[in-house]
Amino acid sequence: MKGHVGDRLVIKGHRVGEPDRDAEILQVHGGTEEPPFTVRWSDTGHETLIFPGADARVLRPAHRAAVLDDIRVEWLGEPARTSAGTPVLSEDESVALLRRHIDLERLRTTDNDAELWGLWQDEARAAAPADHNADVLDRVLERLRTGD
């Protein structure tokens, strides 16, 4: 089972008439996208660490699923900026691409999207005319690794 910060974890009711429980994934503690997860239960608001069983499934918010499913490898070979210096990729595209290539556990909440977009814009604007999105991605990831 794989999960991302912001996804919904749904656990089926264990008895007849018992409702399903759902929670928002707040942190991913395992390997890449793997449990355990820290979650906030929608019915109680409590936060717990959980190792989901076979009765659980992860649901991705529809807007996030559409963006992640639309990530294209060919974007990496495309020019990073227009002739005016603005990034070619949209905010959603660049953030999705960055999230796909960095440790999601390090980026604990979607509050980091604005930071990622800002880094992408900075590096795309500074890109040489011949630079591609792969070059921008490498520079943003290096900045994230070094904390610059």
Side-chain angles (χ1 to χ4, degrees), residues 71-82 85-91 93-98 101 117 119-142:
I71 295 174
R72 295 184 181 91
V73 174
E74 61 267 20
W75 286 350
L76 295 176
E78 293 178 1
R81 65 183 188 110
T82 65
T86 58
V88 171
L89 296 183
S90 71
E91 178 179 357
E93 291 166 340
S94 62
V95 168
L97 186 61
L98 286 162
H101 290 276
W117 174 233
L119 291 171
W120 187 275
Q121 288 179 303
D122 291 348
E123 292 302 327
R125 286 184 185 116
D131 282 353
H132 291 79
N133 287 313
D135 303 309
V136 172
L137 176 63
D138 288 342
R139 288 193 296 271
V140 170
L141 293 176
E142 183 59 27

Side-chain angles (χ1 to χ4, degrees), residues 5 7 11 36 40 47 76 87 98 105 118 124 127:
V5 171
D7 289 349
I11 300 178
R40 179 181 305 118
E47 293 181 13
L76 295 176
L98 286 162
E105 208 167 321

